Amino acid sequence: MKLRIFDVCHGFCALIITDNGQSILMDCGHDSERFRPSEYLQNQNINNLHSLIVSNFDEDHLSDVHRLTSQLKVNYFYRNMTIPVNDLMRIKLQSGPLSHAMTATINLCNEYQEPLPTFIDLAGLNIRHYWNNYPNFTDTNNLSLVTILEYGNIKILYPGDMEILGWKVLLCDQNFVNDLYGVNIFIASHHGRMNGYHKEIFNYCYPDIFVISDKTVVHQTQLNSYAQHARGIPFNSG
């Protein structure tokens, strides 16, 4: 398996290539000056995306979706399905007109309504999702889709923009708590901001490293709060 996390400044986008050649995109943020996932995939001759996983319905997680879906086929679309499409549209319209990316995402939500298969052969990669239910939460951050990727002895957690209240509810789910054990790569919630940092999570997981997807350091939590929980790995800066 190959995992590549792209530098999109403030946002997120990562590509997984499984051992049987399936391409999975986690979020679809872009950096207008340096990187677009739609262009990257085109340059890699990827015209059929096995899965698109959208963790959060904010622009920095899906800003290139309209370009992506105009040029390739998406077989499976993963998101928090407890949010009715009309309610999602209403929530997003509260902050102004829908962007091209958000309109394309709404179209995907309308198109992909069927239940997802319970098993897909991804050649040793297991993907599990956790979420809070709408309308128990009505903000898109606490409705983030939390994804756990497990491949051999590697276990990666990506929580989108989950905030403290959302973490507390998820910790009431024993299945989620059990799945935290063994996480060794932790992608910091909400780009490392304080409102996404919940210390109690680290009673159950002891990551080797944290990944913070943002531009330059802008929050103190990005420097200190997560670092105190990291066990560390050998690193050759040369």
Side-chain angles (χ1 to χ4, degrees), residues 5 157 159 167 183-189 192 197-199 201-202 205-213 221-222 224-233:
I5 299 174
L157 185 145
W167 281 125
V183 167
N184 46 19
I185 299 175
F186 193 109
I187 301 169
S189 178
Y197 169 74
H198 185 43
K199 188 175 182 179
I201 291 291
F202 306 109
C205 69
Y206 312 95
D208 294 322
I209 62 171
F210 290 88
V211 177
I212 296 176
S213 183
T221 38
Q222 296 170 328
N224 301 323
S225 298
Y226 286 101
Q228 67 181 310
H229 303 291
R231 292 188 295 185
I233 57 173

Side-chain angles (χ1 to χ4, degrees), residues 165-179:
L165 281 177
W167 281 125
K168 288 181 177 180
V169 172
L170 286 174
L171 287 176
C172 296
D173 180 351
Q174 190 60 47
N175 290 326
F176 176 66
V177 171
N178 292 342
D179 222 355

Side-chain angles (χ1 to χ4, degrees), residues 57 59 62 66 85-107 110:
F57 289 110
E59 188 76 8
L62 46 82
H66 57 302
V85 179
N86 288 339
D87 287 359
L88 173 61
M89 187 181 302
R90 178 182 52 77
I91 290 169
K92 300 308 297 183
L93 284 170
Q94 290 174 359
S95 56
L98 299 182
S99 67
H100 293 305
M102 193 64 231
T103 300
T105 304
I106 293 289
N107 291 339
N110 281 317

Side-chain angles (χ1 to χ4, degrees), residues 88-219:
L88 173 61
M89 187 181 302
R90 178 182 52 77
I91 290 169
K92 300 308 297 183
L93 284 170
Q94 290 174 359
S95 56
L98 299 182
S99 67
H100 293 305
M102 193 64 231
T103 300
T105 304
I106 293 289
N107 291 339
L108 284 173
C109 292
N110 281 317
E111 181 179 353
Y112 292 82
Q113 294 279 350
E114 296 298 319
L116 293 159
T118 55
F119 173 77
I120 299 175
D121 181 13
L122 296 174
L125 171 65
N126 294 303
I127 304 179
R128 294 180 290 279
H129 299 290
Y130 298 91
W131 59 87
N132 292 315
N133 292 328
Y134 178 90
N136 295 340
F137 286 98
T138 58
D139 64 291
T140 55
N141 285 353
N142 283 311
L143 291 168
S144 290
L145 184 70
V146 178
T147 298
I148 290 182
L149 309 168
E150 188 169 18
Y151 178 82
N153 61 355
I154 298 171
K155 200 171 188 181
I156 304 165
L157 185 145
Y158 174 48
D161 284 352
M162 189 64 66
E163 296 185 359
I164 294 171
L165 281 177
W167 281 125
K168 288 181 177 180
V169 172
L170 286 174
L171 287 176
C172 296
D173 180 351
Q174 190 60 47
N175 290 326
F176 176 66
V177 171
N178 292 342
D179 222 355
L180 286 174
Y181 290 103
V183 167
N184 46 19
I185 299 175
F186 193 109
I187 301 169
S189 178
H190 209 186
H191 318 286
R193 293 179 181 177
M194 178 61 80
N195 61 5
Y197 169 74
H198 185 43
K199 188 175 182 179
E200 291 181 20
I201 291 291
F202 306 109
N203 294 333
Y204 309 100
C205 69
Y206 312 95
D208 294 322
I209 62 171
F210 290 88
V211 177
I212 296 176
S213 183
D214 205 348
K215 43 192 175 183
T216 56
V217 174
V218 291
H219 303 284

Side-chain angles (χ1 to χ4, degrees), residues 25-120:
L25 196 68
M26 297 177 62
D27 284 347
C28 199
H30 83 285
D31 175 1
S32 59
E33 296 183 1
R34 294 180 297 172
F35 175 82
R36 283 189 178 273
S38 57
E39 293 176 358
Y40 178 84
L41 294 176
Q42 190 173 46
N43 292 336
Q44 297 296 310
N45 296 315
I46 297 174
N47 53 28
N48 192 311
L49 200 61
H50 180 277
S51 303
L52 172 62
I53 300 171
V54 168
S55 72
N56 183 281
F57 289 110
D58 290 342
E59 188 76 8
D60 55 323
H61 293 266
L62 46 82
S63 57
D64 202 39
V65 165
H66 57 302
R67 293 175 183 264
L68 183 87
T69 54
S70 69
Q71 69 184 41
L72 55 72
K73 176 179 172 54
V74 176
N75 294 320
Y76 300 106
F77 177 47
Y78 291 84
R79 77 278 192 192
N80 185 337
M81 293 188 69
T82 70
I83 315 170
V85 179
N86 288 339
D87 287 359
L88 173 61
M89 187 181 302
R90 178 182 52 77
I91 290 169
K92 300 308 297 183
L93 284 170
Q94 290 174 359
S95 56
L98 299 182
S99 67
H100 293 305
M102 193 64 231
T103 300
T105 304
I106 293 289
N107 291 339
L108 284 173
C109 292
N110 281 317
E111 181 179 353
Y112 292 82
Q113 294 279 350
E114 296 298 319
L116 293 159
T118 55
F119 173 77
I120 299 175

